[in-house]
Every structure is written in structure tokens, then in C-alpha cells.
Amino acid sequence: MAHFSWTDDLNTGSTLIDGDHRKLIGLVNALFETMESGQGNGHMSKAMNDLIAYAGEHFAREEVAMERIHYVAALAHQAAHIRLLKQIVELKAMLDAGGRINVPAVSDFLGEWLREHILTADMKLAAALKKQRSAEAAPQPH
Ligand SMILES: [Fe+2]
């Protein structure tokens, strides 16, 4: 069962960013499934690695886009990415150490982990990317 569903409020309007977010939500849900099904720590650890790897790739893609448009809040946004990655790396360490998992708590945490970032930082970035695109498309004054 999917715990984290895509909702329209998550739409940033950037195809690149939204596509990545859908995939991240899929990976979060895949992780929930391994936690619930009791398939064992090996499966959970793999699902966690997939999530960490893809989150890293996605954050890097956003950071390249920020650099391209000389995004004013790039440093703060990058710092948020580092924090987000650290949180899931810590969660993985806890799972790997065989710590008892409170599935609803982890599921809440991961749902909020991504949703909050999308609704705040990524929305602003997508708006800035859109603005830059329309500036590029506009005819240059002579
Ligand atoms: Fe982001």
C-alpha cells in the first residue's frame, strides 16, 4: 500500500523537478513496503540505498539548474539538500544497526521529509526557473 501519494499541491510546474519527485515518492513507498512486509533488513537496506542514491542525483540536478540561473537562494537550498541527505543516511545507519523500527513514525518522517522541502524550497526554485525561461524566450531589446 502506498503511504505517500502524489497530490496536486506538489506540482512545481517544472517537468524535470516533478518527474524526479514522482520517482522519489515511488522509492519512499518501496521502502515502506519492505518495512511492512518484514522481508528483512537486507531488503530494507537496499531500498534505503536506492532512495539515498536517487535523492543525491536529484539534488545534484536541481543544483546544476540553480547554478545555471545564478539562483539567489542557492546556498540555502543546497544546505537543505545536505540536511535531507544526512537525515536519510542516519536513518539507514539506524536500520542497519538493527534498531527497532517504529514503522508509522518512520513513514511519517519520510513523508514530511520530502513534502516539506517540495512545498517550500522547490516551489521557489521552480518559479525562478520559469521566470528565467520566459526571460530567455522574450525578444532581446536592441
Ligand atoms: Fe530541492
Side-chain angles (χ1 to χ4, degrees):
M1 192 192 91
H3 293 244
F4 186 0
S5 315
W6 177 270
T7 45
D8 282 344
D9 60 333
L10 296 174
N11 249 316
T12 67
S14 156
T15 332
L16 171 90
I17 295 179
D18 289 342
D20 278 7
H21 287 164
R22 282 177 190 272
K23 168 118 193 202
L24 276 172
I25 290 174
L27 290 170
V28 166
N29 282 325
L31 175 63
F32 291 154
E33 275 158 32
T34 64
M35 289 192 295
E36 277 190 328
S37 65
Q39 290 171 53
N41 282 0
H43 283 93
M44 218 156 53
S45 196
K46 174 168 185 319
M48 198 76 227
N49 277 339
D50 292 346
L51 174 63
I52 291 170
Y54 195 79
E57 284 171 32
H58 163 61
F59 293 159
R61 265 194 288 280
E62 282 189 359
E63 285 162 22
V64 168
M66 288 191 247
E67 222 169 275
R68 189 174 63 79
I69 65 164
H70 307 288
Y71 186 48
V72 68
L75 282 181
H77 198 138
Q78 276 173 29
H81 286 168
I82 292 170
R83 212 167 39 242
L84 289 167
L85 268 181
K86 194 166 169 261
Q87 286 174 323
I88 50 175
V89 167
E90 278 173 3
L91 176 63
K92 179 175 188 305
M94 201 185 87
L95 297 177
D96 284 348
R100 268 238 308 274
I101 308 154
N102 179 335
V103 177
V106 172
S107 141
D108 275 1
F109 163 75
L110 281 174
E112 276 314 297
W113 171 81
L114 187 57
R115 174 176 284 276
E116 216 262 339
H117 180 74
I118 295 176
L119 291 178
T120 55
D122 290 344
M123 285 296 172
K124 287 187 200 146
L125 171 60
L129 288 171
K130 194 175 169 196
K131 214 165 146 193
Q132 177 73 16
R133 256 199 317 277
S134 29
E136 282 166 2
Q140 296 299 309
H142 289 285

